[in-house]
Amino acid sequence: MKLLFFADLHGDMQILSNLRTKSKDADGIICAGDISTMERNLPKIMKKLNDFNKPILMIHGNHED
């Protein structure tokens, strides 16, 4: 099983795009927090992650409630 781990995205859409490319070979994705900056653009980020069509385990960071 191949897993892609990431943390501290802080809403950077370019990094999110790079993660999508890297996720093509992954069986699952694990986010260790701080996907946004104070939840800014969180729905948009979540939609893009959902489009990866991979199981994702997400742990909220200190930038999310």
Side-chain angles (χ1 to χ4, degrees):
M1 175 179 276
K2 292 182 180 181
L3 296 172
L4 174 64
F5 292 83
F6 75 94
D8 299 312
L9 180 65
H10 294 289
D12 189 315
M13 300 310 261
Q14 182 59 50
I15 293 173
L16 188 59
S17 178
N18 294 344
L19 286 170
R20 183 179 176 112
T21 301
K22 291 180 180 195
S23 75
K24 292 190 187 304
D25 294 330
D27 297 308
I29 301 168
I30 298 176
C31 172
D34 290 348
I35 193 167
S36 67
T37 300
M38 307 315 273
E39 298 185 8
R40 212 171 306 133
N41 296 322
L42 193 55
K44 181 179 178 180
I45 295 166
M46 297 299 286
K47 167 82 172 85
K48 294 231 180 239
L49 282 171
N50 190 53
D51 291 343
F52 285 19
N53 293 317
K54 305 280 180 171
I56 300 175
L57 172 65
M58 226 178 230
I59 302 163
H60 68 83
N62 63 320
H63 284 261
E64 293 90 33
D65 281 338

